[in-house]
Every structure is written in C-alpha cells, then in structure tokens.
Amino acid sequence: MSTVDSELRIGMVGYAFMGAAHSQAWRTVNRVYDLPVRARMARICGRDAGKVAEAADRLGWDSYTTDWRELVNADDIDVVDICTPGDSHAEIAIAALAAGKHVLCEKPLANNVGEAREMVAAAARAQATGVRSMCGFNYRRVPAVTMMRDLVAAGRLGVIRHVRAVYLQDWIVDPQFPLVWRLQKDRAGSGALGDIGAHIIDLTQFVSGQRITGVSAVTETFVKERPLPADSAGLAATVDGTADGPHATGQVTVDDAAVFVARLDGGALATYEASRFATGRKNALRVEINGSLGSLVFDLERLNELEFYDATRPGPEQGFSRILVTEGDHPYMSAWWPPGHIIGYEHSFTHEMRDFLTAVATGADPTPSFADALQVQLVLDAVERSAEHSSSWTGVEPALAPVAA
C-alpha cells in the first residue's frame, strides 16, 4: 500500500507479552491523540487456533488467523506488526514489505547481522514505493528519555564524556526455571545481551547523539542446563515432568549476563551491563550521561522523573534537581493528564504507535528505522565477538548501505 487512507488496518503476528503491550497501544492511541489516520485492529495471528482466538477476543482484535503468510498477503491489511521471537522477524518482515505492507517490528531487529542486513535492504526497496518500516525500541518514547535527548542536543551538558547504562532483571535466577525460547540461541539470537542489552545500546545512542564504535566485552552463562518447559509461555512458563519423576533438561545456549566497555564516535567512554541474574532487580534500567557542563540520570523505576545537574549554576546552588516530566509541554504529555499525574510503562508503546502512524500518514520515515536497528545489531555482534576472543578490543562493523537484491 503506497497511499494512506483515513484508516490503517493493523495485522499483528504474536499475542504474548509484547502482543498484549502492542494491543493496548493500538486500542488507545486514537483515543488519546488527534492523528491524521485511525488504526483499526483488524487481525491477530498465532499458531495455536484456540489461544489466538482467545487473545483476539481479550485484546480487542476484529478477527484472527493461524497463518502469518495469509495475514501479510491479505488485501484488508495495511500494517504488519511483528511481535514474535527473533528467529521469525526477517522472514515475516521481508514478506510483508514485498507485499506492500508498512511494518513495525519488535527489537532486536533480527537474530544476526546477516538477517538484519536483508531486512534493511527490503525496507529500502519498499521505501521507494512509499512503504514505511520501523523497529520498536519503545524506551525512546518515555517522555523523560526524550527530554533527556533534547537537553543533550541543546548543548546543556556540554561535551559528553561518560555514558553509563545498566539493565538488570532476575526472572531466571532460579536454576529450575524452564528452558523457554528466550534461553535458546536459535530462537532468540542471544540472551540478556539482545533481550535487554539492545535497549540500553539504542537508548544511550539516541540520548547522547553518539554511536558506539568499539567494545571490549565479557559474557557469562551461570546456569548451563535447565528443565524443559511444559509450554512456550515465555516469562510465565512451567516445567515439563511430574513431581515424582526427573525432569528432562536441555542446554542453555545464550548468555545470562553481558558486561562491556565502549568508545563512542564523539569521544565519550561508556560502560554497559545487562543481566537477568541480578537478584532483586525486576526491570531496573538506569542511564547516566556526564558532560562538561552537567549530568543527566534516568531510572526506569522512576519513569516520570529526570535528574539534572547543571554545573553552570552558581556553586552554592549546584546539586542534582528532580524534574517531574508530566507537564503539558514535556514530550508526549500534552494528551495525557494534568501536571503531576504520572504515566507508566504501557504509555511508551502508545507513543510509539502515535509516531509510527503519524509518519505513515504524512509520508515521513519513522525512527528508529531498520537501518538504525541494524547498527544496534552490529554492536551486539561486536560484543559477542569480543567475548569469544578473551575480551579483545573489537570494532563495530559500519552499517554500510546494503546492495538491493
């Protein structure tokens, strides 16, 4: 589809955690923002007919299918939203773009650099016919994060010297937690590195305006074998087997944690830590930027706040200030509640859909593009290669424009 109607009919592949988050956003976006186009939740897709039928009813979709190929080729679908494990992103996205559908794909873009490059090439071909694509790094759309980026871009921190980022979870600390798809390299691409590390790589590059050029990394798999799951419910999976018999087990083939130092192209030094073994940390993402004129700190567990140290103020007045990012003139907040009335995690997806729909309706290129997401994939690849070679300094491969097939 190369022209925009007053309604864009959405088809979504996947209905678990991310599918629910995206559904919430599609349901909400036109009820909150005045947009040039309306999203219609036309069809949801999943492999299990019973489960996807239930999901369609619960999440608010008009219909459902068990065949993603039918979805991407359907005449009554304009946008394909991909919320599946990483091993299927490339195949679905490339087919959808070839069929003339606009594509929104969850992060990380693919399971490896080769697939990501193929997706970028497909997006470039589709762009020439007016078809748009975007990768869903939702944390860019947290108002405090966008404000952080705006302050850096305005020069309020001066020369950026340090970038410091961690993303910590603990949902697989128990060695008896089952071997879900996120712990299998052929399904997920990598472990904590790609699942949550990709977020802080994209977020810090977005905020700082600088790109990672080289890394030295170490990764670790703390629990190398786990019980096989009785189902594929992801974060809520249960173990296969019975209480009076041994559980079948399988090998964990991804990292449980990744730590690396990096250099950015503007001269900043950076440190990153991504772990799903940080006991007590549920979804702890924190980013700090230090510059010659000040510092900024964002903590996802205080999503509506931004800490700002302004070193240009008189000495006795200096200190970290807490900014409550809920004013109507703060990013994205004009459509929500009165000042001081906070928003939450799910709102970042509503903002994502707002930006995507607006770009498609106006013929603009949405960001982050598939090319932006490829650059993140290249950093993930460099981290893995460094860790495989005793933490040797490893340059990030340049994201050269791909040659169309």
Side-chain angles (χ1 to χ4, degrees), residues 95-215:
L97 291 166
K101 315 300 184 188
H102 306 288
V103 173
L104 172 62
C105 182
E106 256 303 320
K107 49 56 58 188
L109 187 63
N111 270 9
N112 56 62
V113 169
E115 290 178 350
R117 287 197 183 280
E118 291 176 2
M119 294 172 73
V120 172
R125 292 192 296 270
Q127 182 188 36
T129 64
V131 175
R132 309 295 170 178
S133 54
M134 188 177 88
C135 190
F137 285 99
N138 64 294
Y139 290 131
R140 286 187 176 209
R141 268 77 186 197
V142 173
V145 169
T146 303
M147 183 175 178
M148 195 178 190
R149 188 275 313 269
D150 293 345
L151 288 169
V152 171
R156 297 294 298 276
L157 296 195
V159 177
I160 303 303
R161 293 169 173 160
H162 289 288
V163 173
R164 201 168 294 106
V166 299
Y167 199 162
L168 308 175
Q169 298 176 344
D170 73 350
W171 58 276
I172 56 173
V173 166
D174 183 354
Q176 294 305 305
F177 187 87
L179 187 70
V180 296
W181 69 265
R182 292 178 188 270
L183 305 180
Q184 302 170 44
K185 190 173 181 64
D186 61 338
R187 300 292 310 282
S190 64
L193 176 62
D195 186 19
I196 56 180
H199 269 303
I200 53 176
I201 291 168
D202 177 75
L203 192 155
T204 53
Q205 293 186 136
F206 170 69
V207 169
S208 70
Q210 299 186 26
R211 291 198 166 191
I212 296 171
T213 60
V215 302

Side-chain angles (χ1 to χ4, degrees), residues 304 324-330 333-343:
N304 293 271
L324 188 61
V325 189
T326 60
E327 298 288 331
D329 55 358
H330 285 150
M333 291 304 300
S334 61
W336 293 108
W337 319 121
H341 291 69
I342 61 176
I343 62 171

Side-chain angles (χ1 to χ4, degrees), residues 110-397:
N111 270 9
N112 56 62
V113 169
E115 290 178 350
R117 287 197 183 280
E118 291 176 2
M119 294 172 73
V120 172
R125 292 192 296 270
Q127 182 188 36
T129 64
V131 175
R132 309 295 170 178
S133 54
M134 188 177 88
C135 190
F137 285 99
N138 64 294
Y139 290 131
R140 286 187 176 209
R141 268 77 186 197
V142 173
V145 169
T146 303
M147 183 175 178
M148 195 178 190
R149 188 275 313 269
D150 293 345
L151 288 169
V152 171
R156 297 294 298 276
L157 296 195
V159 177
I160 303 303
R161 293 169 173 160
H162 289 288
V163 173
R164 201 168 294 106
V166 299
Y167 199 162
L168 308 175
Q169 298 176 344
D170 73 350
W171 58 276
I172 56 173
V173 166
D174 183 354
Q176 294 305 305
F177 187 87
L179 187 70
V180 296
W181 69 265
R182 292 178 188 270
L183 305 180
Q184 302 170 44
K185 190 173 181 64
D186 61 338
R187 300 292 310 282
S190 64
L193 176 62
D195 186 19
I196 56 180
H199 269 303
I200 53 176
I201 291 168
D202 177 75
L203 192 155
T204 53
Q205 293 186 136
F206 170 69
V207 169
S208 70
Q210 299 186 26
R211 291 198 166 191
I212 296 171
T213 60
V215 302
S216 174
V218 60
T219 61
E220 182 60 60
T221 303
F222 297 111
V223 176
K224 295 176 172 56
E225 196 169 278
R226 289 182 177 273
L228 297 180
D231 54 56
S232 57
L235 305 185
T238 56
V239 173
D240 195 11
T242 61
D244 55 356
H247 299 307
T249 62
Q251 184 179 6
V252 176
T253 51
V254 300
D255 59 280
D256 288 332
V259 179
F260 63 98
V261 295
R263 186 175 292 279
L264 281 66
D265 61 7
L269 299 179
T271 62
Y272 294 84
E273 180 182 3
S275 177
R276 299 191 292 210
F277 264 74
T279 305
R281 297 296 185 185
K282 305 306 176 183
N283 198 39
L285 184 161
R286 188 178 188 275
V287 171
E288 180 168 335
I289 309 288
N290 305 131
S292 59
L293 300 180
S295 295
L296 285 163
V297 182
F298 171 73
D299 185 339
L300 183 63
E301 293 181 343
R302 295 186 293 149
L303 178 150
N304 293 271
E305 300 177 22
L306 187 62
E307 290 184 72
F308 180 29
Y309 185 98
D310 184 356
T312 67
R313 296 185 63 83
E317 298 176 11
Q318 290 181 12
F320 275 96
S321 300
R322 169 180 171 268
I323 302 172
L324 188 61
V325 189
T326 60
E327 298 288 331
D329 55 358
H330 285 150
Y332 298 105
M333 291 304 300
S334 61
W336 293 108
W337 319 121
H341 291 69
I342 61 176
I343 62 171
Y345 169 77
E346 73 275 14
H347 295 79
S348 65
F349 293 97
T350 304
H351 303 157
E352 180 178 304
M353 305 322 178
R354 188 206 78 157
D355 291 348
F356 181 74
L357 290 173
T358 300
V360 170
T362 59
D365 293 324
T367 58
S369 65
F370 278 15
D372 295 328
L374 166 61
Q375 197 277 334
V376 173
Q377 198 84 43
L378 290 165
V379 176
L380 299 176
D381 179 70
V383 169
E384 288 190 306
R385 288 188 286 118
S386 174
E388 289 169 359
H389 294 88
S390 302
S391 306
S392 61
W393 186 259
T394 303
V396 175
E397 185 182 341

